[in-house]
Amino acid sequence: MKVLGIETSCDETGVAVYDTAIGGAGGLRAHAVYSQIALHAEYGGVVPELASRDHVRKLLPLVRQTLAEAGMDVRDIDGVAYTAGPGLVGALLVGAGVARSLAWALEVPAIGVHHMEGHLLAPLMEDDPPEPPFVALLVSGGHTQLVAVDAIGSYRLLGETLDDAAGEAFDKTAKMMGLPYPGGPQLAALAAQGTPGAFAFPRPMTNRPGLDFSFSGLKTQVLLAWQGSDRSEATRADIARGFEDAVVDTLAIKCARALDAAGCDTLVVAGGVGANRQLRAKLQADARRRAGRVCFPRPALCTDNGAMIAFAGALRLEAGQQADAAVHVTPRWDMASLPPLATAAGFGNGDSGLENAATR
Ligand SMILES: Nc1ncnc2c1ncn2[C@@H]1O[C@H](COP(=O)(O)OP(=O)(O)OP(=O)(O)O)[C@@H](O)[C@H]1O
Ligand SMILES: [Mg+2]
């Protein structure tokens, strides 16, 4: 089954074709992402209305480009998957409207995909994919969650951030220290020049039991350190390193606890902060020590992309799920309300948790 995936939940327009055929032409046939970073940079954050309008401008050309790269005609598509939530309502509606219209015109099924399920399943597109049960660490711009994955589609939230998401903390800290938006990757690059231990920041909420996170206090500690410093380039790099080490350690400590709590030895990491080199190295070292396994998507599939939506949608479409013909989006959507995949056959009748959630 060749599934077109469309991602428009925030400030990236992502399109991909995933083919579920085993071997040969199967797998990710093509994917393209258009980032709106330059558009939002002068405002220091995403402006929702501008995001929606830019998706309108970029989505159809990107669909044509992706199909051409896959060597396919639009009529070769067997199904369409689109991000139905969570995300910005106007931005989501652009993707849902285009996806639903395409599916209707082509007379193929369409499905609304949960954006975080897309992130969570992205590592399964790589070689030698892990099989559930495993624990997933979702670390993106809007989420920091530890999720027990009992089966694909069956998710239990083990812990999450009480305030800022890890990516948000990276971005806000970078902004405080004068780095341009979005600062996460730039702060990480700066940290690579810094001296480990020159600034030691706390590892929030690690000295008490539990799997929740809090990053806003850490951000304040960094601000105080920055304001009280000589503000030289070297100091900025040292502070960036101290901040990154604190976030990475905190995430790693909670991942180890979550694996213990779930009785698992496999960790899956997804979301934009999953591209962070220090985090990848630390979790890999921890996995070796535990004789366990950690799986990441390639860095380009950590941040928002259409491939993860095509893949997650293909799994659900193949299990017999599909959305009805209306254009629905769900800006706030609990991943635990998704139906498991194994019992999904026959869910195309409008009674599925997926459809109910997506029509709210
Ligand atoms: N190398 C890196 N180190 C640290 N943070 C990074 C790195 N690369 C990307 N990020 C952060 O990842 C975030 C973007 O990731 P992603 O696209 O998955 O998030 P999002 O889609 O905005 O949020 P959500 O998926 O929760 O809606 C940004 O906060 C960015 O700063
Ligand atoms: Mg995302």
Side-chain angles (χ1 to χ4, degrees):
M1 185 179 207
K2 291 178 277 301
V3 176
L4 179 74
I6 291 178
E7 156 62 37
T8 62
S9 68
C10 190
D11 58 346
E12 258 104 29
T13 317
V15 178
V17 178
Y18 190 89
D19 187 342
T20 58
I22 311 283
L28 186 57
R29 293 277 295 263
H31 87 104
V33 176
Y34 174 80
S35 173
Q36 302 179 353
I37 282 175
L39 178 71
H40 301 290
E42 67 173 295
Y43 305 98
V46 178
V47 183
E49 181 59 23
L50 294 183
S52 311
R53 291 178 193 199
D54 213 46
H55 287 307
V56 170
R57 272 192 291 270
K58 297 296 181 342
L59 184 51
L60 283 175
L62 213 58
V63 168
R64 286 191 200 100
Q65 177 191 323
T66 308
L67 288 170
E69 274 169 28
M72 286 170 52
D73 185 84
V74 70
R75 286 170 210 83
D76 296 330
I77 291 167
D78 303 308
V80 185
Y82 59 93
T83 305
L88 302 171
V89 64
L92 291 167
L93 278 168
V94 177
V98 168
R100 256 277 119 251
S101 309
L102 259 177
W104 183 78
L106 297 170
E107 297 184 8
V108 298
I111 188 146
V113 171
H114 192 292
H115 180 82
M116 296 313 292
E117 182 180 47
H119 274 304
L120 189 153
L121 297 179
L124 276 61
M125 278 186 280
E126 305 298 353
D127 292 341
D128 190 17
E131 278 183 24
F134 52 72
V135 168
L137 171 69
L138 303 179
V139 268
S140 58
H143 294 79
T144 300
Q145 294 183 328
L146 279 162
V147 178
V149 179
D150 300 317
I152 293 179
S154 181
Y155 309 119
R156 277 182 297 122
L157 185 66
L158 299 173
E160 64 182 335
T161 183
L162 304 178
D163 39 60
D164 291 347
E168 189 180 2
F170 262 95
D171 294 339
K172 286 181 176 170
T173 303
K175 190 173 180 178
M176 273 166 10
M177 293 203 294
L179 295 173
Y181 165 88
Q186 306 208 36
L187 190 78
L190 191 64
Q193 318 294 321
T195 310
F199 283 83
F201 295 113
R203 278 54 176 153
M205 292 181 73
T206 54
N207 58 0
R208 58 182 123 145
L211 294 170
D212 287 334
F213 303 90
S214 165
F215 291 111
S216 75
L218 175 62
K219 198 181 57 190
T220 309
Q221 298 266 346
V222 173
L223 178 63
L224 293 174
W226 175 240
Q227 286 176 337
S229 77
D230 61 7
R231 303 198 184 194
S232 67
E233 266 310 295
T235 303
R236 187 153 76 159
D238 288 346
I239 293 178
R241 181 59 191 249
F243 168 80
E244 183 181 58
D245 284 348
V247 173
V248 166
D249 269 1
T250 303
L251 293 172
I253 290 166
K254 300 279 168 142
C255 283
R257 274 188 206 167
L259 288 166
D260 289 341
C264 283
D265 59 8
T266 302
L267 178 70
V268 156
V269 183
V273 183
N276 183 276
R277 283 189 189 180
Q278 292 294 337
L279 180 65
R280 290 169 93 99
K282 170 78 176 145
L283 293 178
Q284 250 144 7
D286 286 0
R288 273 195 296 276
R289 208 170 24 250
R290 295 174 71 98
R293 190 176 171 203
V294 60
C295 307
F296 305 91
R298 69 198 83 163
L301 299 187
C302 284
T303 42
D304 286 353
N305 63 85
M308 66 188 197
I309 303 304
F311 179 67
L315 294 181
R316 290 193 175 274
L317 285 169
E318 281 213 319
Q321 298 180 20
Q322 58 176 284
D324 61 28
V327 176
H328 300 302
V329 295
T330 312
R332 291 173 72 86
W333 190 359
D334 179 3
M335 204 164 63
S337 69
L338 294 174
L341 217 67
T343 57
F347 268 122
N349 59 10
D351 290 336
S352 76
L354 192 78
E355 285 198 344
N356 289 342
T359 51
R360 242 173 259 142

